[in-house]
Amino acid sequence: MKLSTFAIALISSVASLNAFAQDVRLNPINQNIETQACYTAATEGYRAAKRLIRDNGLNVASFSASLLCNDVSLRKFADLYSNKTTSETKGIALVAKNEDIASKACLDAVSIGTEKALAKYGLEGETIICNHKEMSAFARAYSTESVVVRPFSE
């Protein structure tokens, strides 16, 4: 799989090397996996980007070998930006789209684990899909993040 080079649009212009010492705000230009990996590397670090790639069923070594983020490798991009980016929030807020039991179980799985969440709602043995992922993969994706779980919101 050959991935093409793409760019993440920078809202703050970075005109010189001195600008790298200041905070930089990154804005992804689309939501494809390549952009998500670069954005994650810049905002959360290389390990988080590797986790995102694995969670999407891709081989980390081959994927990152064929990916360039603003003309640099994924690891280098993470090194350049991960400590210099700013964000609007200091974590992730997960909000249920509806009030069904499966949605509640998905949110609980992040904080208490998949098995306990399934047991809490009497869903043992069922396959629950959370944001297009199996519940265990969904919970793993947010297990190391600073997550705030909010109740159903319209």
Side-chain angles (χ1 to χ4, degrees):
M1 156 175 45
K2 182 73 177 169
L3 301 175
S4 63
T5 304
F6 74 101
I8 293 182
L10 293 176
I11 293 176
S12 326
S13 65
V14 180
S16 69
L17 291 178
N18 290 338
F20 284 108
Q22 300 171 358
D23 286 341
V24 175
R25 184 173 309 273
L26 299 174
N27 184 25
I29 58 172
N30 59 43
Q31 289 300 312
N32 65 27
I33 185 62
E34 296 86 358
T35 301
Q36 289 178 23
C38 290
Y39 184 75
T40 300
T43 58
E44 301 172 38
Y46 183 68
R47 289 180 60 193
K50 285 181 14 180
R51 186 173 52 252
L52 173 81
I53 294 165
R54 266 194 308 269
D55 287 349
N56 279 279
L58 300 168
N59 179 283
V60 174
S62 62
F63 183 85
S64 53
S66 63
L67 175 67
L68 292 177
C69 306
N70 289 356
D71 295 323
V72 297
S73 71
L74 185 64
R75 184 182 298 273
K76 178 75 171 172
F77 195 70
D79 291 344
L80 286 171
Y81 293 103
S82 64
N83 294 325
K84 297 167 184 71
T85 56
T86 60
S87 62
E88 307 276 323
T89 61
K90 297 294 182 195
I92 297 171
L94 296 176
V95 181
K97 222 174 180 180
N98 54 49
E99 294 187 64
D100 67 7
I101 290 174
S103 293
K104 291 176 183 177
C106 288
L107 293 178
D108 280 350
V110 173
S111 57
I112 65 173
T114 302
E115 290 178 19
K116 288 181 182 177
L118 289 171
K120 179 178 178 179
Y121 294 99
L123 299 171
E124 297 97 331
E126 301 220 12
T127 301
I128 305 297
I129 304 298
C130 310
N131 286 359
H132 309 290
K133 295 181 181 181
E134 286 193 34
M135 182 186 279
S136 58
F138 175 80
R140 255 192 327 276
Y142 294 104
S143 64
T144 60
E145 305 293 337
S146 174
V147 175
V148 174
V149 177
R150 295 187 183 148
F152 170 73
S153 175
E154 291 184 41

